[in-house]
Amino acid sequence: TIDGKFDTRGGNTCMTPALRRMPERAQSRETRSGWSPGNGRGMSLRVVLLAFLLLAFPDEGRAFDFGDALGDLKDLAGDFDLGGHVSQALADNFKKLPGPIKDTLGDPTKLFSLSASDFKSIPLDVLGNLKSTVLDKLNATHLQMLAANISTAPASVLDRFFNKVPAKAFKGSLDKLKGLKLSAAKYYAVGKAAVKSYGKDVSRWTSKQFLSLGNLNFGLTKNELAKIPGTNFSAVIDYFNSLDGDGGTFSSSQVQGLFQSAKNAWGNVKQWSKDQLGKMQSLSTRLPEQYLAQLDGTQLAGAIKGWSDKWAGEKDIGTLRKKSVLINKLKTAWQDVSQWTEHNVQDAKGILDGLSVKDMRLFNSSTFFTTLTDFLDENRRWSWQHFHAMAEKAKAKLPDLAKLSADRIEAARRFFPGLLISDLKQINITALLMQLRKVSDCQPGVQENFAQVEVLANRVLNASSKAHFSKDFDMWNYDALDDLGCLARGFLCDQLSDIPSSAVANSDVRDIGAQWSRSQVLQILKKLLQNNIKSLDDLETIVYGVSTDDIARLSTDSEDLQFVDFQKLSRPQLFALIQRLKSIKTNDLSDESDWGWDAIKNFGSLLLSLSPMDLSSLPEESYEDAVSEGGVEAGWTEGQARAIWRTLVRRSNLTADQFVNVTDRDMALLGSFVAQIGLSYLDKLDSVACKQAVQQIGQTEDLASVTSPRKRAALGQWAIKCLQSEGPVTSLTSDHLILLGRLVLSLNETTLDLIGRNTLSASLGFIGYAAKDATDEERQRLANLVKKRWSNLGDLTGDQITALGNILKGFSSGDLGQLNAGSVVSALEDLGIGSNLVLNSAQSAALISRVKATWGSNVGQWGADRILRLGGLVTSLTRTDLQSITADVFNDVVDHFGWLDGFDNEKSADLLAVAKKAWGSITSFSPSQFRRLGHLAVSISSSELSSLAAKSLGCSDTAYALGQSMKWSPSQLRNLLRIGKEAINSAVSDWDDFELTILGNISVALNVTELQSISATGLRRSAGILGKVVGFSNDQKSAIVNKLKTNTAWGSPRGWTRSQINEAGSLLSAFSSDDVKSLSGDKLGAIDQTTIGKLGSNFFSAMTSKQLESLEPQQARIVSASYSSSLTADQNGALQSASSDDLGEEDTSSGSSAASTTMGGIISLLTMTVCLVGGLIKY
């Protein structure tokens, strides 16, 4: 076919720019490539290819025929170098050219005599496939004419074209080319021409040559940038600072290369002056924290104002850790934060959110209030703990909140989430109403919880004289909703349900997005859908609440998908949306017009919903622009990533031996996709390319999701072998750990022993954060290393304990009991921020004992502030501790730990007793108080529940809150269902996703007859909710599944979509053997990993070996661990095949999905991977 099925150079031309060049670099090695320019073999295959094209596409007319006859094939072969990528796009572009222009392509004299407009009309892929003898005559004037074409061409086209551009033409065109704004992949493609023109030895380049390249410097590799001559470095780095961010940026890897050049030019980092540090300011945000830790604090203080401006707005977790390093450096110059002045804050304002919670509590109060707007700037990323520390500081300065002025309230608005309920009840309501529009604006970052916003909303409604804040909610208009803004989140559902649909549809409530509760979103969606909303795009930020049934019928214009935040959608919603697009476009994902990059470039994280089979079927369009125009950083499954690699190998006949020709530039193009390459391939890399590959694997954010622990361990040992390629490694330095990144987690104990105490201390922050994805065994090894380097764990400071993060999970309770009590207390509020640290009960109890050693053992005297500072450790307080909490303190803290799972039944009962002291008997609890209890409500006895009426729950919000718990007893559930039915006040047969979402796990109390009575429409909309319910009996599941199998619901399971399979969840265990056998491999891959281990042995024993082999690798490992004893030898063998780790030669035989895909898809496939799996760019 025309899309590159015939390969004239050893099967490797239809790949990414990086891999397509490998045989060309190896042409002199005839034994490896099987081809040489003089053996005549390449020409004969070209003629065969051209003959095939002409015979296969008679309607193409003159597409590849200068002379309009087969007899002219020889002339055509002489004009074109068709050993390159022959794609449908190339054929189409050639066909569109007028005959007179086609006639010039083989004659450089005629070609370069064309008018400017005619010459510019020739697509770059056509020019790039001309013989080198033609393009050798290209001059600067003609190259400059192509500047606009270069900006829009794919990277693969630029790669081939610039391989043939003469150095003289390139250098003569730089004034025109250097200002181009390209994607990263395109810069790399053009950057090669710079190296070819100025010489491969960058250390011999002059500063003038660097400056002449302009933006094209972004195409130099880390290794090249590490060789800038010391005599030229200062001038070059000044220029790079002016370039960065204008049309491109240097990647973290490239900046590390520049850092090496800086060390070569300026010497030891600790000796760098403030002026030298100033020269690095634009690039500083991409330096690893270990490098920042080497800076001199005094010199940094002199340069910090310039640095700070560059860091403002950088808010990801990794950058916050780096900001903390800089803050600690500044402390050595400016002393402790309690001594910082207003001038210090102004200079460092861009990195203020690097302050720890401990720092915030110690901060100079006078300076804090003078510079409050700098602290509360919306570009800062603060945790709830930071806001709480700010609030406590504010209360110390302004103890009478009832006297707060309007100006003060406006300034303090952002730390409202840190105020206690008792504080919010005291705030000057008159001043708050004066600033209502500003107070009610949705704030970035942390928001008030429901109880806090309910207090504020009720105070506003009770005190406001505005007519549109009517007590009758059915009289409200959109102005009232917009005035209340985010405070509308404090509405109970009966209030929200009364507001007219027109008011909701015309207001800005959709801007509140994910801050609404689930039950509130469903109510709003109902009103919007009632008000003639017909498009997904119209739902804006609350699109995440729409059912998959609605997705299947709402208008979905692919051009408008760029406005949908796919990252907020669930897997079944993404599956349903991609299925919807398939029905609108075509289900054939190889169709270029519907599924090429131009058609899907706005999809972003929606691409996560493509199955491995889908990914291997996509067309060979220009995915290179995805590197800069869109993509996703994380979320891919191991199966998706592996399918792409295996398809690449199978399509291209790529062998490990060909990797000997891969360069560091090629590795840079592949991004973190390198993690999927098998060790037999990686072993062939030279030392430079190898280190580039190590770094890119180590920087892969979701490495744990796309590789198995066994593969990561093998990659760790391969990485050490790579480091040893230039000599023995007797110790691992900070530079080594920077290169290894997340691979440090996978090193064995012997290798970890090569890390010294100082090196480990400088890297603790990164390793501790990365350990959130580590296995228990990996955390144990890291904890053992820490114990070796700090034989007395009591020597660890509070900052070091904070930095340890998830490594703390690897310590025993006895180890944690040795920590210094004061250090533990100072680390309390910063522990786990951004890393989801959860310790076991024994570990938590050990830390609680250290806290009590500082605060005293009488918890009743601690107060709300100290209890809140415990975070999740509060579950390890003793029953006596919990019983001593006062009613006032409980009212202020219950919202923060009512939803913690760590309280056992006895402790929950103790806290419920405290709640009764605070709020009265159970029958007097308000709906919002029931909601605030969270999981603690499971301690309400069945007899107490039996005395409650529907009004106790008030409305759906409370039932929804209680329904999230999975700890209710059968008798409790029966009572809750009774109350829920009264509150819902409609027949079960009329229920759909709204009612069943509200009930959640309370639905398990519905009997079989009631479940069978739910309409087919209701089940279609609510299957995803029922599929997550824990505790359904087999009879209940069968009742639901049998109803779903009816033609008015989903029909036969053979026809169920990936979205429906995912939503069915645990209900799949009710499938018959025939139902199970009817599921295809790509549909089985849609089952969540949290579900697959709960489906029971019968489900998997019914599968064929082929089905088991088609499971995602992580699914297969779960099934093998749970059910292998119930499976046959053949079935277990299939699981073994599915879960293999790709440690050696890749198995390219599995998976039939890609077998029919043409080789022309290789270019798009791998360059798509750069974006999609490599995660180089945020969408």
Side-chain angles (χ1 to χ4, degrees), residues 212-229:
S212 71
L213 290 175
N215 286 348
L216 304 185
N217 283 291
F218 296 131
L220 299 178
T221 67
K222 170 188 174 182
N223 191 51
E224 290 160 352
L225 291 169
K227 296 177 180 178
I228 299 174

PDB file of all heavy atoms in Angstrom, residues 212-229:
ATOM      1  N   SER A 212      24.188  33.227  16.987  1.00  0.00           N
ATOM      2  CA  SER A 212      23.605  33.241  15.649  1.00  0.00           C
ATOM      3  C   SER A 212      22.434  32.267  15.522  1.00  0.00           C
ATOM      4  O   SER A 212      21.581  32.426  14.646  1.00  0.00           O
ATOM      5  CB  SER A 212      24.671  32.884  14.601  1.00  0.00           C
ATOM      6  OG  SER A 212      25.016  31.506  14.680  1.00  0.00           O
ATOM      7  N   LEU A 213      22.384  31.259  16.406  1.00  0.00           N
ATOM      8  CA  LEU A 213      21.342  30.237  16.309  1.00  0.00           C
ATOM      9  C   LEU A 213      20.007  30.686  16.888  1.00  0.00           C
ATOM     10  O   LEU A 213      18.958  30.122  16.558  1.00  0.00           O
ATOM     11  CB  LEU A 213      21.789  28.956  17.027  1.00  0.00           C
ATOM     12  CG  LEU A 213      22.917  28.171  16.366  1.00  0.00           C
ATOM     13  CD1 LEU A 213      23.333  27.003  17.247  1.00  0.00           C
ATOM     14  CD2 LEU A 213      22.494  27.677  14.988  1.00  0.00           C
ATOM     15  N   GLY A 214      19.997  31.679  17.762  1.00  0.00           N
ATOM     16  CA  GLY A 214      18.740  32.141  18.341  1.00  0.00           C
ATOM     17  C   GLY A 214      17.977  31.017  19.014  1.00  0.00           C
ATOM     18  O   GLY A 214      18.529  30.209  19.764  1.00  0.00           O
ATOM     19  N   ASN A 215      16.686  30.927  18.699  1.00  0.00           N
ATOM     20  CA  ASN A 215      15.837  29.900  19.307  1.00  0.00           C
ATOM     21  C   ASN A 215      16.279  28.479  18.968  1.00  0.00           C
ATOM     22  O   ASN A 215      15.900  27.526  19.652  1.00  0.00           O
ATOM     23  CB  ASN A 215      14.386  30.072  18.848  1.00  0.00           C
ATOM     24  CG  ASN A 215      13.709  31.258  19.503  1.00  0.00           C
ATOM     25  OD1 ASN A 215      14.239  31.827  20.450  1.00  0.00           O
ATOM     26  ND2 ASN A 215      12.551  31.632  18.992  1.00  0.00           N
ATOM     27  N   LEU A 216      17.060  28.326  17.920  1.00  0.00           N
ATOM     28  CA  LEU A 216      17.484  26.986  17.518  1.00  0.00           C
ATOM     29  C   LEU A 216      18.421  26.351  18.534  1.00  0.00           C
ATOM     30  O   LEU A 216      18.683  25.145  18.480  1.00  0.00           O
ATOM     31  CB  LEU A 216      18.139  27.025  16.142  1.00  0.00           C
ATOM     32  CG  LEU A 216      17.288  27.638  15.007  1.00  0.00           C
ATOM     33  CD1 LEU A 216      17.999  27.498  13.676  1.00  0.00           C
ATOM     34  CD2 LEU A 216      15.908  26.993  14.954  1.00  0.00           C
ATOM     35  N   ASN A 217      18.925  27.156  19.482  1.00  0.00           N
ATOM     36  CA  ASN A 217      19.706  26.587  20.591  1.00  0.00           C
ATOM     37  C   ASN A 217      18.880  25.608  21.409  1.00  0.00           C
ATOM     38  O   ASN A 217      19.428  24.732  22.080  1.00  0.00           O
ATOM     39  CB  ASN A 217      20.217  27.703  21.509  1.00  0.00           C
ATOM     40  CG  ASN A 217      21.414  28.439  20.919  1.00  0.00           C
ATOM     41  OD1 ASN A 217      22.505  27.886  20.812  1.00  0.00           O
ATOM     42  ND2 ASN A 217      21.201  29.694  20.535  1.00  0.00           N
ATOM     43  N   PHE A 218      17.539  25.756  21.356  1.00  0.00           N
ATOM     44  CA  PHE A 218      16.680  24.820  22.084  1.00  0.00           C
ATOM     45  C   PHE A 218      16.768  23.414  21.502  1.00  0.00           C
ATOM     46  O   PHE A 218      16.278  22.461  22.106  1.00  0.00           O
ATOM     47  CB  PHE A 218      15.217  25.289  22.052  1.00  0.00           C
ATOM     48  CG  PHE A 218      14.968  26.604  22.743  1.00  0.00           C
ATOM     49  CD1 PHE A 218      14.239  27.603  22.108  1.00  0.00           C
ATOM     50  CD2 PHE A 218      15.464  26.847  24.006  1.00  0.00           C
ATOM     51  CE1 PHE A 218      14.007  28.810  22.730  1.00  0.00           C
ATOM     52  CE2 PHE A 218      15.241  28.059  24.644  1.00  0.00           C
ATOM     53  CZ  PHE A 218      14.508  29.052  23.999  1.00  0.00           C
ATOM     54  N   GLY A 219      17.398  23.273  20.345  1.00  0.00           N
ATOM     55  CA  GLY A 219      17.547  21.968  19.725  1.00  0.00           C
ATOM     56  C   GLY A 219      18.848  21.279  20.042  1.00  0.00           C
ATOM     57  O   GLY A 219      19.120  20.190  19.532  1.00  0.00           O
ATOM     58  N   LEU A 220      19.689  21.905  20.899  1.00  0.00           N
ATOM     59  CA  LEU A 220      20.933  21.262  21.320  1.00  0.00           C
ATOM     60  C   LEU A 220      20.652  20.300  22.466  1.00  0.00           C
ATOM     61  O   LEU A 220      19.776  20.534  23.292  1.00  0.00           O
ATOM     62  CB  LEU A 220      21.949  22.318  21.746  1.00  0.00           C
ATOM     63  CG  LEU A 220      22.369  23.317  20.658  1.00  0.00           C
ATOM     64  CD1 LEU A 220      23.336  24.342  21.212  1.00  0.00           C
ATOM     65  CD2 LEU A 220      22.978  22.599  19.455  1.00  0.00           C
ATOM     66  N   THR A 221      21.406  19.231  22.546  1.00  0.00           N
ATOM     67  CA  THR A 221      21.173  18.226  23.584  1.00  0.00           C
ATOM     68  C   THR A 221      21.883  18.608  24.883  1.00  0.00           C
ATOM     69  O   THR A 221      22.738  19.496  24.917  1.00  0.00           O
ATOM     70  CB  THR A 221      21.692  16.853  23.140  1.00  0.00           C
ATOM     71  OG1 THR A 221      23.122  16.905  23.034  1.00  0.00           O
ATOM     72  CG2 THR A 221      21.093  16.450  21.814  1.00  0.00           C
ATOM     73  N   LYS A 222      21.544  17.908  25.933  1.00  0.00           N
ATOM     74  CA  LYS A 222      22.202  18.112  27.230  1.00  0.00           C
ATOM     75  C   LYS A 222      23.709  17.953  27.092  1.00  0.00           C
ATOM     76  O   LYS A 222      24.482  18.775  27.620  1.00  0.00           O
ATOM     77  CB  LYS A 222      21.657  17.094  28.242  1.00  0.00           C
ATOM     78  CG  LYS A 222      22.420  17.052  29.552  1.00  0.00           C
ATOM     79  CD  LYS A 222      21.956  15.891  30.424  1.00  0.00           C
ATOM     80  CE  LYS A 222      22.819  15.772  31.677  1.00  0.00           C
ATOM     81  NZ  LYS A 222      22.424  14.625  32.520  1.00  0.00           N
ATOM     82  N   ASN A 223      24.136  16.920  26.394  1.00  0.00           N
ATOM     83  CA  ASN A 223      25.561  16.649  26.250  1.00  0.00           C
ATOM     84  C   ASN A 223      26.265  17.761  25.484  1.00  0.00           C
ATOM     85  O   ASN A 223      27.404  18.129  25.788  1.00  0.00           O
ATOM     86  CB  ASN A 223      25.759  15.304  25.532  1.00  0.00           C
ATOM     87  CG  ASN A 223      27.193  14.826  25.575  1.00  0.00           C
ATOM     88  OD1 ASN A 223      27.800  14.783  26.638  1.00  0.00           O
ATOM     89  ND2 ASN A 223      27.731  14.477  24.417  1.00  0.00           N
ATOM     90  N   GLU A 224      25.593  18.315  24.477  1.00  0.00           N
ATOM     91  CA  GLU A 224      26.168  19.421  23.707  1.00  0.00           C
ATOM     92  C   GLU A 224      26.235  20.697  24.539  1.00  0.00           C
ATOM     93  O   GLU A 224      27.237  21.420  24.524  1.00  0.00           O
ATOM     94  CB  GLU A 224      25.347  19.635  22.433  1.00  0.00           C
ATOM     95  CG  GLU A 224      25.519  18.506  21.427  1.00  0.00           C
ATOM     96  CD  GLU A 224      24.407  18.409  20.402  1.00  0.00           C
ATOM     97  OE1 GLU A 224      23.389  19.129  20.548  1.00  0.00           O
ATOM     98  OE2 GLU A 224      24.539  17.606  19.459  1.00  0.00           O
ATOM     99  N   LEU A 225      25.179  20.960  25.302  1.00  0.00           N
ATOM    100  CA  LEU A 225      25.145  22.173  26.125  1.00  0.00           C
ATOM    101  C   LEU A 225      26.127  22.093  27.291  1.00  0.00           C
ATOM    102  O   LEU A 225      26.489  23.124  27.864  1.00  0.00           O
ATOM    103  CB  LEU A 225      23.725  22.403  26.646  1.00  0.00           C
ATOM    104  CG  LEU A 225      22.703  22.792  25.576  1.00  0.00           C
ATOM    105  CD1 LEU A 225      21.285  22.736  26.137  1.00  0.00           C
ATOM    106  CD2 LEU A 225      22.997  24.188  25.029  1.00  0.00           C
ATOM    107  N   ALA A 226      26.549  20.888  27.643  1.00  0.00           N
ATOM    108  CA  ALA A 226      27.518  20.728  28.727  1.00  0.00           C
ATOM    109  C   ALA A 226      28.942  21.035  28.275  1.00  0.00           C
ATOM    110  O   ALA A 226      29.867  21.025  29.097  1.00  0.00           O
ATOM    111  CB  ALA A 226      27.447  19.302  29.276  1.00  0.00           C
ATOM    112  N   LYS A 227      29.133  21.337  26.979  1.00  0.00           N
ATOM    113  CA  LYS A 227      30.479  21.536  26.439  1.00  0.00           C
ATOM    114  C   LYS A 227      30.718  22.962  25.957  1.00  0.00           C
ATOM    115  O   LYS A 227      31.639  23.204  25.179  1.00  0.00           O
ATOM    116  CB  LYS A 227      30.709  20.559  25.284  1.00  0.00           C
ATOM    117  CG  LYS A 227      30.689  19.097  25.713  1.00  0.00           C
ATOM    118  CD  LYS A 227      30.855  18.165  24.519  1.00  0.00           C
ATOM    119  CE  LYS A 227      30.834  16.701  24.956  1.00  0.00           C
ATOM    120  NZ  LYS A 227      30.943  15.780  23.806  1.00  0.00           N
ATOM    121  N   ILE A 228      29.899  23.909  26.415  1.00  0.00           N
ATOM    122  CA  ILE A 228      30.118  25.297  26.011  1.00  0.00           C
ATOM    123  C   ILE A 228      31.458  25.763  26.568  1.00  0.00           C
ATOM    124  O   ILE A 228      31.727  25.623  27.771  1.00  0.00           O
ATOM    125  CB  ILE A 228      28.982  26.203  26.534  1.00  0.00           C
ATOM    126  CG1 ILE A 228      27.640  25.751  25.936  1.00  0.00           C
ATOM    127  CG2 ILE A 228      29.241  27.660  26.176  1.00  0.00           C
ATOM    128  CD1 ILE A 228      26.451  26.478  26.492  1.00  0.00           C
ATOM    129  N   PRO A 229      32.316  26.307  25.736  1.00  0.00           N
ATOM    130  CA  PRO A 229      33.648  26.722  26.222  1.00  0.00           C
ATOM    131  C   PRO A 229      33.551  27.727  27.373  1.00  0.00           C
ATOM    132  O   PRO A 229      32.722  28.631  27.356  1.00  0.00           O
ATOM    133  CB  PRO A 229      34.277  27.373  24.982  1.00  0.00           C
ATOM    134  CG  PRO A 229      33.507  26.846  23.820  1.00  0.00           C
ATOM    135  CD  PRO A 229      32.117  26.592  24.306  1.00  0.00           C
TER     136      PRO A 229
END
